[in-house]
Amino acid sequence: MNAHRSYMDLCLERHRDGLAHVGSQNADALWFTSSLVRTAAFATLQERPVDQYAPPTQWLEIASGAVPVFLATWDWIKADPKSEAMGVMKETVVLTDKEAFFKESNRRGFVHLLQRMESTRDLTEPWDGDIQEAYETNLSYLGSVKLAIDAGRPCSEIGLRLIGFASMVPKRFISLVGEQ
């Protein structure tokens, strides 16, 4: 893990340098680097201590941080017929159908998690429409993952859905996780 941290720091430093000058020459490399960083951050979750819970905020922030990179490189990638990133995106269409991820029906089986009780926690915990929406969106996404598992979808697809989780859910949900 020490080596991972050292090389990840170097990678992110160089990646930031590249992001300062996005263009046709580096768009694919920046897109792939963000994808790999997001995947590496997901893989490090297995190294988290399980004896005392701490929210996985670093993973969530790194993965959600890939979204602006994907958006910044999109115009260059889509215009390049030789783009390797575009080829990968076409093959992984599973992550582009946002409507399928966020359907209300995906939350079946999880709706009880949205119910507010008369408990001390529920009475003192902040709750408003934005928070409700963040939790609903999150549960819809997780429900889509469960539905894919139940349908026997390939492990590679399930893995992509899990890796993409933090890139797909609202930033508000990620900040709520950080607040615990």
Side-chain angles (χ1 to χ4, degrees), residues 58-140:
Q58 184 178 25
W59 163 60
L60 293 169
E61 289 168 359
I62 288 171
S64 69
V67 173
V69 177
F70 295 149
L71 295 173
T73 58
W74 174 245
D75 287 336
W76 299 102
I77 290 169
K78 74 178 182 182
D80 181 1
K82 296 179 183 174
S83 170
E84 294 292 330
M86 193 64 172
V88 169
M89 283 187 271
K90 286 178 182 175
E91 290 179 22
T92 56
V93 70
V94 67
L95 290 181
T96 59
D97 186 4
K98 288 189 174 189
E99 285 185 32
F101 289 130
F102 299 114
K103 293 190 300 192
E104 183 178 344
S105 60
N106 292 351
R107 293 196 288 273
R108 277 191 229 129
F110 296 112
V111 175
H112 65 281
L113 296 172
L114 295 169
Q115 295 172 346
R116 307 291 290 162
M117 307 292 191
E118 294 298 318
S119 68
T120 303
R121 186 197 76 189
D122 283 354
L123 293 174
T124 58
E125 182 180 73
W127 194 266
D128 59 25
D130 288 340
I131 292 171
Q132 172 94 17
E133 182 180 347
Y135 286 135
E136 287 174 349
T137 304
N138 171 57
L139 291 176
S140 291

Side-chain angles (χ1 to χ4, degrees), residues 42 59 92 94-95 101 141-165:
F42 179 77
W59 163 60
T92 56
V94 67
L95 290 181
F101 289 130
Y141 189 92
L142 292 177
S144 78
V145 173
K146 173 139 180 20
L147 290 169
I149 292 168
D150 292 347
R153 301 298 305 158
C155 291
S156 59
E157 180 182 319
I158 305 302
L160 281 173
R161 287 175 187 244
L162 293 172
I163 290 168
F165 170 78

